Structure formats: C-alpha cells, structure tokens
Amino acid sequence: MASLRCFLRSGKNAVSAGLRREFHRTPPAAVQVTVRDALNQAMDEELERDERVFLLGEEVAQYDGAYKISRGLWKKYGDKRIIDTPITEMGFAGIAVGAAMAGLRPICEFMTFNFSMQAIDQVINSAAKTYYMSAGLQPIPIVFRGPNGASAGVAAQHSQCFAAWYSHCPGLKVVSPWSAEDSKGLLKSAIRDDNPVVFLENELMYGVPFEMSEEAQSKDFIIPIGKAKLERQGNHVTLVSHSRMVSLCLDAAAVLAKEGIECEVINMRTIRPLDAEAIETSIMKTNHLITVEGGWPQFGVGAEILARIMEGPAFNYLDAPAVRVTGVDIPMPYAKILEDNSIPQIKDIIFSVKKTLNV
Amino acid sequence: MRKMLTIISNILRGSASRNGAELVSEGARVVVSARTYADFTPQATFDIKKCDLHKLEEGPPLQAVLSREEGLQYYRTMQTMRRMELKADQLYKQKIIRGFCHLYDGQEACAVGIEAGINLSDHLITAYRAHGYTLTRGGTVREIMAELTGRRGGIAKGKGGSMHMYTKHFYGGNGIVGAQVPLGAGVALACKYLGKNELCVCLYGDGAANQGQIFETYNMASLWKLPCIFICENNKYGMGTSVERAAASTDYYKRGDFIPGLRVDGMDVLCVREATKLAAEHCRSGKGPILMELQTYRYHGHSMSDPGVSYRTRDEIQEVRSKSDPISMLKDRMLSNNMASVEELKEIDVEVRKEIEDAAQFATTDPEPPLDDLCNHIFYNDPPMEVRGTNPWTKLKSVS
C-alpha cells in the first residue's frame, strides 16, 4: 500500500513508462524495477566487470539469498565467486576482510545487520582502522551489506538500526539507499570504492518498484557516495531522511501540500560522510528542519545532523529549533499495534511539521 | 692467525657433539671461500626432535641439514631480533617508547624458522608480539624502532605503533586477540582464488587459542581447503595465565580437530624450519590447512608493564635461558661442527650491535610526524576531504 502511494508520489506517470520501445520517436524508456532487482543488477554487473569481486554470506549461493537479493548469481558465477558460509559471522567477516587485504574485492553479506554485531570487531578494528594504522600501506576494499532496521513482526533482536553505530567510526563509509536507482547506483559505487563501505538496505523496501531511467539502467551508472538528493522541492520546512523513511516523508509532504505547506524532502543517500551542505542550503531557504529516521533517538543520525546544523552557518537561518522524528526509545515489540507505534508514522511527521511551523 | 684458528677449530671439533649432531664429511677440508679464515664445514646434518603428530601420517624428517651460509644468516637475524627487543626494553624504561610494547626475546627461533620454511612471496599475519616478524618479512630495524618511538621515519609513519606494523605480504601486527586468525584465512582464500600457489601463515598465541573465532576459522579453512598454516606460538602463558589455567586441553596442535597438526620444538630453529617446510608442502599440494604448535618461551613479561615474575618463577626463566636459548643452541651447533669461528660470530655480534645503535639513534632523533599528517590516510584513492577538529571552528585536511 505504502509502496503504491510512494510510487505515485514520485511525480511521474506510471503509464507513460514506455515498456515497449516500438517507435524511434518515443522518449527514452524508463522501466519499473524493484529495489531487490536493482541490487541484484548492481552485483551482477560488478561481478562481471571485475574478476576480483566476489560475494560471501549465509545462503547467498544455493538459496539465492535469504531475501533473494543474490538470485541467479551462483548459477551464473559458480562456487568460486558466490560463497555460502556457515553461520559464523565473526569468522566469515574476518575472512572477507583478510581477502580484501590480499587483493580481492569482497561483498560480505550479513543476513541482517543485527548479526553484524557478532562481527563488529572485524568491521571496525580490522577493516575501518587499518588504512590509517598502516599510514596508507594497507587499503581494505570491502562492502558489508544487508538489511538494516525494522522489518515487520520480527521483534526486538531483529529490528535494530545500525546507521548511528557504524557512522560513528572514522574509516568507514556508510550508505543508506532509498529507491531502486539509489540502490543500484550506490551499490556499484560501494563495490568500486577502495574503502570499507557499510551498505544499509531495508527489507521492507526490497519489493518496492521504482521507475528507473534509461541512464540508470546502464552498466556504468553509479551514484557518488557522500551526496544527498533533493527528492521534493519546498519552501516551508526541510525534511531530512534516509532509507524507507524517505517514503513516509514524501507521503507526509503530499498530505501537507493540500494544506498549503510545502515540504522540501532530502534523501540523505549517504550517512557517512554526511552531506551537511545539502541540508544547510535547504535550511537557508526553508528556515525549518526536521530529521526523520527509524532508529532510536539517543546519539542517532538525527542527533548528529542537529549538532552539525547548530555548529554551522545554517543555524542563523532557523526560525525554530530543529527537531528529530525517530523510533520510540524502546526495544521493538512484536504485537502489530505495538510495533506500528514504535516507529515514525506519517501522522507523526505531519504533527511535527505543524508544531515546528507553529500552525 | 691461520695457525691459531686451525688449533681452535681442531679443539672444537674434538669436543663432544651436542644434540647428537654428526659431522658429514663431504670434502670438509676444502676451503669454501677466499677468506683468510681456516677451513669451515660447508654444511652439517643435525638431529632434531621428533614432532608429535595429529592426524598426520608422516612428520618432518628427524634430521636437518644446515649450510654454513644458512647458519650465519639465521644467527645474524636471531641476534638482530634479540638485540632489537632488548634495546626496545631500554628505550621503554627511558620512556622514549610508550604505550604497549610486547617483546619477543626468547622466541626468535619461531620467526626465523618459519621464514626459512616459506618464501617472501607467501603471506604472514600475527598478533601483537610482532616486531620479530616485521623484521623477517622485510622491515628494517630502523623503521621498526622509529615506529616504536612514534617518529615519521617509522614503518607506519608513527601512526601505528608497536602493534600495527605492516610490510609487503605481512598484515601486521594486530591488537585484538584472535582477530588475526580469520584475517589470515581470508588472505589464504585470496591466495587460492588468485591461483598463485602462495600460502598464508597465520599465527596466534596460547591465550588466543581459546577464541571462538579461531574455531570458526578452522571450520571454514578446512571446508574450503584454504592454503593456510595455522601456528600457535605456545609460550606457556597468556599474559599472566598459564596454559593449565586457561585451557581444558593444552594440546594446541590437536585443537584443530579435523585439521592435521604437529607439535614442534619452537626453541630449535631447524626444527621449526623443517616443520614449516612440511606444512607448506601440505598446503601447496591443495590438501587444505594444517596446524603447528610451536613450544617456545618469552623471557620478558607479557608486555613492558609486566615484570613477568608474579605468575612464574625467576628460576624457570633462568632455566630456559641456560638450557634452551635458541641463539645459543644454534651457536653451539655451528661452533662444535666448525661451521663458523668464535671470532666470526663475535664480529656478527658487533655488527648487529652497531646496527641496533644506529637504529636507536635514528629512532630517538627522527622528528615526530608533522601535525598535517594527523588526518591523512582515512580513505584510499579518495579526493581530499575535511575532518572536524576538536571544536567546530577547526577544520582539518585529510588526503588519501
């Protein structure tokens, strides 16, 4: 439901996405691509492009991926490039980092980022810090990817958002795509990047289709890491978000537009390095800031954004305190009604906008 | 001079052979080089201790052949290692080296023996007691000492310190106990993937041997037949905890279970070398990983902040020093088989001492890294970026 709405929100007419290219006079053909397929394409293209790229993780090969993200890859590339691991995160994450040290370009999949906690020492101490500790002698070109944050009904141990945890550490790049284009372009960039990249996907977004332009369908389409995207222009308030929450911001913006409130929605795309400039530029126009995230409030992504805005040139442009919309500060409950009320809903965003604008 | 040396060498030859060493007379009287020294034995065969085996049909040979050249080289390297560590001890006590400093003296035969059994094109990773391996893997004493003193001439430009030294095909120097083992298996995976017939030697201590991630690694290395030599340097103490108090099973060479293993006398450089050769052959033939336990000993405490006598006796340390010192063992073997002269070895000692002095001099006078370097080396191959300083007004520059 949310996916359909969000798809319509993208402002383009679904019907005109010319699926059949019959006449030379039709405009370049965009197609509908799910986030899942976009990620799959990105990995497929990069595996083809560079012999050193390989994928390892639980169920990535013969199972086609726990969430089917790596569907078809094992059949195409075989045991050498697509490796099923035992359920030993610390071990296989370390093996992935070691392989990167010795010249390969691994994609290390965590079935969800909750399990990455078992391996977090390898991500931080072995991957993130090594280039610095070696004063440039030992780069680590690795991607850690997998679904992050809340899903649906998977309860407390399987619902944590790790954006803040990983973004805290220098030496890592942390990426959080929203759309299919984001997913494809950013994953390709991450794989081509010579540094450790934590790539935070979202399980609830996997099945969501987005329009993908012809340009984005090309094998060389990459989106630079570290640059946010303006998804919707507006004058009254800046909404900054990442991953699935971008959909909610756009939905909230549509509702508010009916009341004459125009929200500017920024899709962060990258959490670290944070594109503070994009946010500042927007604030200088709208004078109001609200960050929206699925993770917990304390020491979170929103907290960092607000601190940076306080310390930067945009502070003087704020007409009201900047605020954060976040997940509730509790472990994730199971019952649907409780779960629904543990993460931001569209009404929470609308409420916060109106409070900030004092309307 | 010549006459005196002949007399001395005759005396030494006449003395009872140590460790059952036998002299192979292969034209032993022929002068090997154009030096004015007396004739030296070009090579000799020595008995080495039998290794305990686990799931292995055959162990290393019970005899090792040592050439004069090899002997001199091992001697020089071990002596350099020894003196370097002792100098580090000195500098630490003078507070010129700070933080962590884990010294390797006593364990020299391990590093030198292992390197003698592999090639420089192979790969090696170890934990934090890493100065010796940094040397055998191509680092110079100068850059190692300057790294310890935190100077710009250090092997990691002063940014890593004692536990984070790297050279080609040497992946440190790792501070987190046990983390280097999966890393090493990953390097081995890359070796297999890239098909260059290289292998990875992956070291850890008796303390680390109980880490879960090591067992995870044994499993994957074995499943995927990775060319990985796991080596447990058992120096009997994990920090202050003796092996009996830390491990339900102290047969570290058996802990790999389905991985074949051997227990080796880590104080004998020849024993280590022969075992490593066997292990390397095993890996290169595609049989998968193998595990070696080197029984060795460290003279110093765990680190410079540990006197090393609260959990073990001075007598024990003294006993090992007098009976099993790796350098003395090699020296005795060479002298008693006329493979070198006392003077020659003394000369090496003098050269080594000078090298260490020069290095220490460099390490104490080289300037510290420039402050501009503070934020560099965060990312590789990236455009320059800004890094926040300690306060919002301070923006620092970072280049790759």
Side-chain angles (χ1 to χ4, degrees):
Chain A
M1 196 50 185
S3 60
L4 181 61
R5 241 188 272 134
C6 126
F7 155 62
L8 290 170
R9 280 301 147 258
S10 61
K12 293 180 183 112
N13 190 344
V15 177
S16 81
L19 292 165
R20 292 184 307 158
R21 278 180 252 177
E22 285 173 326
F23 305 107
H24 65 273
R25 265 179 276 125
T26 51
V31 292
Q32 288 295 300
V33 181
T34 60
V35 169
R36 171 180 289 113
D37 290 338
L39 293 166
N40 186 282
Q41 273 172 38
M43 287 198 286
D44 192 354
E45 288 169 11
E46 295 306 301
L47 282 158
E48 195 178 88
R49 177 180 178 268
D50 190 338
E51 272 285 297
R52 300 166 298 170
V53 175
F54 72 100
L55 171 67
L56 88 167
E58 293 153 15
E59 311 304 337
V60 296
Q62 296 190 17
Y63 199 87
D64 271 334
Y67 299 100
K68 306 295 180 239
I69 309 299
S70 54
R71 177 169 38 209
L73 296 180
W74 175 65
K75 272 223 175 77
K76 186 171 176 186
Y77 296 101
D79 285 331
K80 180 181 172 184
R81 314 276 308 276
I82 313 292
I83 304 177
D84 273 337
T85 63
I87 309 171
T88 48
E89 275 78 4
M90 198 165 184
F92 71 71
I95 284 179
V97 176
M101 285 178 169
L104 298 183
R105 305 187 71 91
I107 304 169
C108 176
E109 178 177 305
F110 291 120
M111 198 182 279
T112 76
F113 265 94
N114 300 286
F115 315 136
S116 74
M117 270 202 285
Q118 306 224 292
I120 201 165
D121 174 66
Q122 297 289 0
V123 178
I124 307 299
N125 281 318
S126 302
K129 297 179 184 172
T130 296
Y131 191 65
Y132 186 86
M133 291 193 297
S134 67
L137 288 175
Q138 182 63 73
I140 317 265
I142 189 170
V143 176
F144 297 100
R145 52 161 287 274
N148 175 60
S151 177
V154 294
Q157 292 179 343
H158 289 72
S159 306
Q160 189 169 332
C161 175
F162 287 85
W165 281 36
Y166 287 116
S167 299
H168 186 59
C169 301
L172 283 182
K173 297 187 184 183
V174 181
V175 173
S176 184
W178 166 61
S179 63
E181 263 192 38
D182 283 358
S183 301
K184 184 172 180 205
L186 288 170
L187 185 53
K188 285 167 78 75
S189 277
I191 295 168
R192 295 186 193 191
D193 201 305
D194 289 328
N195 298 286
V197 181
V198 170
F199 194 87
L200 304 170
E201 301 161 5
N202 187 296
E203 204 235 313
L204 297 173
M205 295 303 290
Y206 282 152
V208 178
F210 287 83
E211 200 168 276
M212 196 182 268
S213 65
E214 175 129 347
E215 188 211 343
Q217 292 166 52
S218 125
K219 284 188 179 175
D220 287 308
F221 172 70
I222 57 164
I223 292 178
I225 293 177
K227 289 267 158 267
K229 184 180 179 213
L230 196 63
E231 296 289 350
R232 183 188 196 280
Q233 293 220 18
N235 289 314
H236 299 129
V237 62
T238 301
L239 300 177
V240 179
S241 185
H242 71 100
S243 188
R244 187 173 152 262
M245 290 292 139
V246 175
S247 300
L248 270 77
C249 287
L250 289 170
D251 292 347
V255 174
L256 287 163
K258 295 202 191 102
E259 297 178 49
I261 300 172
E262 294 298 329
C263 301
E264 181 141 294
V265 178
I266 295 180
N267 168 11
M268 291 176 73
R269 283 181 160 176
T270 302
I271 317 288
R272 182 177 183 115
L274 207 154
D275 189 355
E277 208 184 300
I279 303 173
E280 283 162 357
T281 306
S282 177
I283 292 170
M284 291 181 191
K285 185 172 72 165
T286 68
N287 310 118
H288 297 85
L289 172 66
I290 300 179
T291 65
V292 182
E293 68 196 285
W296 293 319
Q298 286 203 39
F299 308 97
V301 175
E304 172 63 18
I305 294 173
L306 263 54
R308 289 229 198 165
I309 297 306
M310 284 279 279
E311 290 180 347
F315 170 73
N316 291 308
Y317 290 77
L318 284 173
D319 286 347
V323 297
R324 307 162 290 169
V325 172
T326 69
V328 177
D329 203 9
I330 53 171
M332 183 67 73
Y334 165 68
K336 186 158 198 323
I337 187 174
L338 297 180
E339 186 180 54
D340 288 347
N341 284 279
S342 302
I343 44 173
Q345 301 178 47
I346 296 169
K347 64 177 169 71
D348 298 319
I349 303 174
I350 294 171
F351 175 77
S352 302
V353 168
K354 289 185 173 173
K355 281 289 252 187
T356 301
L357 293 176
N358 208 16
V359 297
Chain B
M1 172 74 164
R2 183 179 256 268
K3 201 170 167 199
M4 185 175 75
L5 287 169
T6 317
I7 293 169
I8 292 172
S9 68
N10 282 336
I11 292 169
L12 288 169
R13 219 180 295 137
S15 66
S17 13
R18 299 281 182 92
N19 302 325
E22 292 157 35
L23 184 62
V24 172
S25 55
E26 296 170 6
R29 308 274 161 214
V30 176
V31 174
V32 180
S33 70
R35 286 194 219 162
T36 54
Y37 278 43
D39 44 336
F40 287 121
T41 317
Q43 71 179 35
T45 305
F46 298 96
D47 285 345
I48 51 176
K49 272 208 195 115
K50 184 165 190 275
C51 296
D52 293 323
L53 302 177
H54 171 71
K55 301 212 167 138
L56 260 183
E57 291 291 303
E58 245 182 76
L62 295 173
Q63 292 190 319
V65 175
L66 178 71
S67 77
R68 184 182 126 81
E69 256 149 39
E70 285 168 345
L72 290 172
Q73 188 230 310
Y74 301 159
Y75 180 82
R76 182 184 289 271
T77 312
M78 289 203 285
Q79 192 70 291
T80 306
M81 218 178 271
R82 175 70 57 92
R83 298 253 135 245
M84 180 177 76
E85 296 295 80
L86 293 179
K87 178 54 80 175
D89 169 278
Q90 226 178 60
L91 292 174
Y92 195 95
K93 286 172 176 152
Q94 294 175 285
K95 297 203 197 309
I96 299 171
I97 297 177
R98 45 191 278 278
F100 287 132
C101 193
H102 307 88
L103 297 178
Y104 198 66
D105 51 313
Q107 302 186 210
E108 295 87 357
C110 298
V112 175
I114 290 168
E115 196 61 50
I118 58 174
N119 308 316
L120 264 177
S121 56
D122 289 317
H123 307 254
L124 191 141
I125 190 170
T126 185
Y128 47 74
R129 202 174 299 280
H131 308 159
Y133 290 99
T134 315
L135 192 68
T136 52
R137 288 262 104 194
T140 64
V141 183
R142 259 166 84 98
E143 53 192 2
I144 293 171
M145 301 219 75
E147 186 59 35
L148 292 176
T149 55
R151 307 301 163 102
R152 64 180 70 186
I155 200 166
K157 301 192 172 73
K159 294 173 99 166
S162 169
M163 300 185 292
H164 308 296
M165 302 193 189
Y166 303 78
T167 70
K168 184 161 187 243
H169 289 201
F170 174 56
Y171 306 90
N174 288 275
I176 307 297
V177 172
Q180 75 277 12
V181 179
L183 293 179
V187 173
L189 188 144
C191 289
K192 184 171 179 181
Y193 191 105
L194 295 168
K196 291 196 271 192
N197 198 27
E198 292 163 3
L199 53 81
C200 184
V201 175
C202 183
L203 291 127
Y204 55 95
D206 50 278
N210 301 309
Q211 274 262 318
Q213 56 186 320
I214 293 187
F215 293 90
E216 295 186 14
T217 309
Y218 289 159
N219 184 39
M220 285 182 273
S222 203
L223 263 180
W224 302 333
K225 293 210 169 1
L226 302 181
C228 195
I229 305 177
F230 295 111
I231 302 188
C232 177
E233 280 181 293
N234 177 4
N235 60 18
K236 301 187 180 29
Y237 298 94
M239 211 157 155
T241 308
S242 68
V243 292
E244 298 80 35
R245 295 200 302 125
S249 162
T250 55
D251 290 332
Y252 296 103
Y253 71 110
K254 289 186 185 169
R255 299 282 284 279
D257 189 9
F258 34 78
I259 297 182
L262 58 160
R263 183 157 55 192
V264 180
D265 177 4
M267 303 305 267
D268 178 353
V269 67
L270 293 179
C271 207
V272 177
R273 183 187 76 183
E274 294 308 309
T276 308
K277 279 186 181 163
L278 179 124
E281 165 59 36
H282 184 273
C283 286
R284 282 191 232 278
S285 65
K287 297 200 184 108
I290 188 169
L291 205 162
M292 274 167 55
E293 177 190 339
L294 303 180
Q295 296 197 300
T296 182
Y297 200 83
R298 53 163 162 84
Y299 296 144
H300 269 85
H302 163 71
S303 71
M304 285 306 298
S305 59
D306 170 25
V309 287
S310 66
Y311 49 87
R312 58 184 189 173
T313 63
R314 284 184 211 275
D315 286 345
E316 181 187 281
I317 307 170
Q318 206 22 57
E319 177 151 355
V320 177
R321 240 191 237 280
S322 55
K323 297 218 176 101
S324 321
D325 185 271
I327 302 177
S328 302
M329 199 192 296
L330 179 64
K331 183 173 174 180
D332 290 344
R333 273 177 166 159
M334 289 188 71
L335 290 177
S336 63
N337 286 277
N338 192 32
M339 295 180 80
S341 70
V342 175
E343 280 75 20
E344 194 177 12
L345 295 181
K346 270 216 173 67
E347 205 179 297
I348 294 178
D349 288 351
V350 168
E351 282 165 16
V352 166
R353 204 157 303 181
K354 180 163 192 314
E355 187 186 352
I356 305 301
E357 278 308 317
D358 283 350
Q361 178 65 9
F362 174 68
T364 46
T365 54
D366 198 40
E368 288 190 286
L371 274 180
D372 301 340
D373 205 34
L374 179 68
C375 299
N376 293 339
H377 310 118
I378 299 285
F379 292 130
Y380 176 54
N381 236 355
D382 248 30
M385 65 176 190
E386 221 172 56
V387 171
R388 187 188 194 276
T390 58
N391 59 68
W393 298 276
T394 310
K395 304 267 184 253
L396 303 169
K397 186 138 178 255
S398 171
V399 297
S400 273

